[in-house]
Amino acid sequence: MDVLVIGAGAVGLTTAISLAEAGLSVTIRTAVLPEQTTSVAAGAVWGAVKVGPADRVLEWARAGLEVLSKLAAEPGTGVRMAAGREVSRVPLEPYYWTPLLADLRPCEDSELPDGFADGWHYTAPLATMPVYLGYLRARFERAGGTLEVSPVASLAALAGAAPVIVNCSGAAAHDLVPDPAVVPVRGQVVIAANPGVEEFLINRDPEPPWIVYMFPHGDQILLGGTNDEGNWDTEPDTEVAERIIAGCAAIEPRLRGAEILGHRVGLRPWRPEVRLESEPLGGGVLWHNYGHGGAGISLSWGCAAEITRSVLG
Ligand SMILES: Cc1cc2nc3c(=O)[nH]c(=O)nc-3n(C[C@H](O)[C@H](O)[C@H](O)COP(=O)(O)OP(=O)(O)OC[C@H]3O[C@@H](n4cnc5c(N)ncnc54)[C@H](O)[C@@H]3O)c2cc1C
């Protein structure tokens, strides 16, 4: 084995694919299967929210946009190009990374829901995470990789296990590294039958810990959500789910009475800065690739490429 990757969320899988497709022999060790990770709860639209530092994020976001846009053109990846709006009741400035979006434009008044004052409209890659994670796992295995469900108790104990180890443990890095700078930002979402919504919508009103958004995925729609900092609870909360549904239905009345199909909870691995750097471990190298906050799906390909370039020298 040339490389051991810890973690099979979006970050671990894309890192492992990038290394395996470069010709290296890669094994993933993960505590849970991809469909049980935080990554499966994501919306998941391309964007760089709740993540830093801005200069490195911009490059990772650019790389992620390119790869995800290509995947959107391939059948079976779970990724498609989707149109949608970000709206607010107060004036809304585009983010520093929105110039990467080719068709970003201000919303027409007729495109703003009742009571909203500002917003923009754009097209971006949108991933249906259960499908996308299945695609990533299959692609990794096609490249010769092996995935083992086998929790790692300590990074130090892995010395000598492989010349290169990559730590993609998400919020669990808080204890595994240990790294107190990593804080979980709990996100709960509701999966409902889609009453015919075609465009995604994100309400950017600053109302922490609440945020209202909806992402259509064919005959289902993912409704959110929460940004609950410091909360490690991965069980769905019924009252939170009811508030999510009411918040979305207040903006999109067709959601009133929609059939509820499921609930998901994920812990965004928030850190002031993504940790993407290496350190010696035994005679080998330990890479860290965690702390992607609210943008791990969007940035993961860029981070993976940076590690692969360094590993290949
Ligand atoms: C509700 C919600 C909505 C989101 N929306 C978006 C969005 O629209 N766009 C976007 O880009 N991002 C979004 N995100 C953020 C994104 O989901 C995360 O940044 C991303 O999933 C982090 O991926 P990860 O692989 O680092 O972590 P995870 O998915 O948490 O994976 C961590 C992996 O490490 C493994 N692991 C942990 N500890 C150990 C151990 N001791 N031994 C072995 N394995 C271990 C776990 O089993 C798991 O496989 C959203 C997140 C949430 C919760």
Side-chain angles (χ1 to χ4, degrees):
M1 182 197 342
D2 299 317
V3 184
L4 174 63
V5 173
I6 302 160
V11 173
L13 285 169
T14 49
T15 303
I17 289 170
S18 175
L19 291 161
E21 291 183 350
L24 298 169
S25 152
V26 184
T27 295
I28 294 178
R29 275 181 70 179
T30 177
V32 298
L33 288 168
E35 57 269 27
Q36 297 159 334
T37 60
T38 278
S39 297
V40 83
V45 72
W46 175 90
V49 291
K50 252 193 145 17
V51 70
D55 53 343
R56 296 181 86 190
V57 163
L58 197 59
E59 200 36 55
W60 297 327
R62 189 193 314 276
L65 182 59
E66 195 182 317
V67 176
L68 291 167
S69 299
K70 283 186 186 148
L71 292 182
E74 287 179 32
T77 61
V79 184
R80 69 182 175 93
M81 296 305 288
R85 289 163 292 165
E86 306 214 6
V87 297
S88 172
R89 292 184 174 85
V90 294
L92 193 58
E93 285 299 315
Y95 294 107
Y96 66 89
W97 42 267
T98 44
L100 294 174
L101 292 160
D103 66 349
L104 184 84
R105 61 164 175 81
C107 284
E108 311 280 342
D109 284 350
S110 61
E111 292 173 314
L112 295 172
D114 284 350
F116 284 80
D118 203 357
W120 62 82
H121 187 280
Y122 61 92
T123 308
L126 178 76
T128 302
M129 288 310 296
V131 181
Y132 179 51
L133 290 169
Y135 159 79
L136 291 178
R137 180 179 177 176
R139 179 167 161 184
F140 170 62
E141 289 173 341
R142 263 201 317 278
T146 307
L147 186 146
E148 295 170 5
V149 177
S150 162
V152 168
S154 122
L155 293 178
L158 292 178
V164 176
I165 296 173
V166 193
N167 169 24
C168 306
S169 56
H174 180 274
D175 291 330
L176 187 63
V177 173
D179 182 349
V182 182
V183 177
V185 178
R186 181 183 186 278
Q188 179 168 333
V189 298
V190 175
I191 311 298
N194 187 353
V197 178
E198 287 178 354
E199 296 204 342
F200 68 83
L201 184 140
I202 303 170
N203 175 3
R204 286 286 175 212
D205 285 338
E207 289 180 23
W210 298 96
I211 174 170
V212 175
Y213 55 78
M214 56 195 83
F215 293 108
H217 294 284
D219 56 3
Q220 300 188 356
I221 185 162
L222 181 148
L223 310 176
T226 57
N227 275 324
D228 197 358
E229 209 167 304
N231 187 341
W232 288 96
D233 186 1
T234 54
E235 285 303 310
D237 179 300
T238 310
E239 280 175 29
V240 170
E242 280 167 9
R243 182 163 171 173
I244 288 171
I245 296 161
C248 289
I251 295 179
E252 174 48 80
R254 285 178 291 176
L255 288 165
R256 283 186 202 132
E259 184 188 357
I260 304 308
L261 305 173
H263 304 268
R264 293 181 197 145
V265 175
L267 305 178
R268 297 177 186 86
W270 158 247
R271 194 174 186 274
E273 301 197 340
V274 172
R275 187 170 183 205
L276 184 60
E277 62 183 3
S278 64
E279 59 177 316
L281 179 68
V285 178
L286 170 63
W287 276 90
H288 296 285
N289 186 11
Y290 63 83
H292 300 80
I297 315 307
S298 311
L299 306 185
S300 64
W301 288 105
C303 295
E306 191 170 320
I307 292 178
T308 300
R309 277 195 299 274
S310 295
V311 168
L312 296 180

